Amino acid sequence: MPPIEIRRLGPGDERLLDTVAADVFDEPVDPLRLKACLASPGHLLFVALDDGQVVAQAAGMIHHHVDKPSELYVDEVGVSPAWQRRGIANLLMDALFNAGREAGCAEAWLGTEPDNLPARALYDGRKKPAEPVGSFVMYLYDLGEGSKEAGASMTA
């Protein structure tokens, strides 16, 4: 069985999303939106491929500021149910964090709902658990060289 391949998509990679497993994205992939996303500087889209099929994805954006270091916002992570619990989401998070570091980001952040237990298990496993505030749980990660994510592997 070949290993899962983690790949960052860019312009020209649109055809890779012709074969996507169930529930990787919230909605069907729109070709025009995909093309715009891949062409936008600062937008990051990583996918996990299993024998050519997209089985997971993670998206993020680099936020540049005029008065502080850039930061990575993790927009979403989705893994098809048949491929969950294999460490693929962690590999995708590692890829996003590494891309953020390469872009000069000092931190990464994301948020989820308090009752989204699968997401919270993923995010809590990467750092000290966050505390919910109302209907939102925010996670903040240091992308410095000493962080847990700094030496992460990219294979499953």
Side-chain angles (χ1 to χ4, degrees):
M1 180 165 164
I4 299 294
E5 176 189 358
I6 304 298
R7 182 165 171 181
R8 180 178 177 178
L9 300 187
D13 289 331
E14 292 86 358
R15 299 292 308 219
L16 284 174
L17 291 172
D18 286 350
T19 307
V20 178
D23 299 320
V24 170
F25 294 95
D26 295 332
E27 303 289 333
V29 174
D30 178 282
L32 293 176
R33 290 179 181 156
L34 172 61
K35 188 172 181 111
C37 176
L38 296 182
S40 297
H43 281 74
L44 304 171
L45 179 59
F46 286 87
V47 296
L49 297 160
D50 187 359
D51 197 27
Q53 180 181 31
V54 174
V55 299
Q57 60 87 19
M61 290 180 279
I62 305 293
H63 290 267
H64 298 284
H65 302 278
V66 298
D67 61 338
K68 56 190 167 206
S70 298
E71 60 188 11
L72 170 68
Y73 165 65
V74 178
D75 185 43
E76 63 182 357
V77 179
V79 180
S80 181
W83 283 266
Q84 291 176 357
R85 318 279 299 148
R86 297 187 191 182
I88 295 170
N90 273 307
L91 292 174
L92 289 166
M93 292 286 291
D94 292 343
L96 277 174
F97 285 7
N98 287 333
R101 270 188 217 91
E102 290 171 9
C105 295
E107 297 177 325
W109 68 277
L110 59 94
T112 192
E113 303 82 11
D115 62 349
N116 187 344
L117 300 181
R120 293 201 51 203
L122 169 66
Y123 307 141
D124 287 345
R126 300 185 74 80
K127 65 171 285 163
K128 185 179 100 178
E131 293 298 319
V133 178
S135 63
F136 187 76
V137 183
M138 182 175 171
Y139 292 85
L140 185 64
Y141 300 94
D142 179 358
L143 295 184
E145 289 302 314
S147 69
K148 175 181 174 183
E149 296 80 19
S153 169
M154 294 269 300
T155 59

